[in-house]
């Protein structure tokens, strides 16, 4: 419905959201979560996240496509970690690592990253990868059966499918097509929330510099290259149609 292409979807979205909620809470319990009442970083993430989430909800409602966000219960959390990373699980469960913030440097660039990660979730990229993984590794078992019978394997497949955490070993990189879609819709989502999408160009350049010789996991799943920059520039006129600056 969002991407306009046929996508493999063998897992039920509400089962996936249920699994995501469990995995999200486990992740938060194992990491140092910053409170927005005492951390400026967390307050910023909350503010930018809420603006984007509200804008996306309003937009899809106004298009009669509110079903796209069915079951979404947005949560934005910031964890203390040197890692340059951020992700969004199904149902709108977002984590930003503080290591990302010196690279984003400003709220607009943070909005670009959040838009991108949220776009992976709304475009159901993880659902696609989870479906493929379930076929390849669990013989196409239904998700609720897999959770009951092979909980550990299912959780690992989930974390791999959503590019979360390094403890599960090799992560699946997002495909070039998924990256392109996340970049495109990410720009639009940031623009809708009143953030200038043009910030994406200097941001991804900073990201590329920050990674140096040892790209962080975030970058190994989000390849930064000439093609990406060219495509971002191609998308820009469309994204700018959704943009009006906040007061
Ligand atoms: Zn991505």
């Amino acid at each position: 419905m969002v991407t306009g292409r046929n996508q493999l979807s063998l897992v039920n979205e509400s089962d996936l959201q249920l699994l995501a909620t469990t995995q999200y809470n486990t992740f938060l319990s194992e990491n140092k979560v910053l409170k927005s009442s005492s951390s400026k970083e967390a307050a910023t993430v909350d503010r930018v996240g809420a603006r984007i989430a509200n804008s996306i909800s309003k937009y899809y409602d106004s298009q009669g496509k509110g079903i796209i966000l069915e079951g979404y219960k947005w949560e934005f959390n910031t964890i203390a970690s040197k890692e340059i990373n951020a992700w969004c699980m199904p149902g709108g469960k977002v984590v930003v690592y503080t290591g990302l913030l010196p690279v984003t440097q400003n709220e607009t660039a943070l909005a670009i990253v959040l838009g991108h990660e949220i776009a992976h979730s709304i475009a159901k990229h993880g659902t696609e990868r989870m479906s493929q993984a379930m076929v390849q590794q669990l013989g196409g078992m239904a998700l609720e059966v897999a959770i009951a019978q092979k909980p550990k394997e299912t959780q690992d497949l989930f974390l791999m499918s959503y590019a979360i955490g390094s403890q599960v070993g090799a992560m699946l990189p997002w495909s070039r097509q998924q990256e392109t879609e996340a970049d495109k819709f990410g720009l639009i989502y940031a623009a809708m929330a009143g953030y200038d999408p043009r910030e994406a160009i200097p941001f991804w350049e900073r990201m590329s510099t920050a990674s140096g010789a040892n790209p962080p996991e975030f970058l190994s799943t989000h390849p930064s290259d000439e093609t990406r920059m060219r495509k971002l520039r191609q998308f820009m006129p469309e994204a700018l149609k959704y943009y009006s600056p906040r007061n």
Side-chain angles (χ1 to χ4, degrees), residues 116-117 120 174 178-179 182-183 204 218 221-223 228:
H116 178 101
E117 295 306 319
H120 275 308
W174 298 109
Q178 289 172 330
E179 281 304 323
D183 275 342
W204 285 111
F218 182 72
T221 64
H222 296 74
R228 155 173 261 164

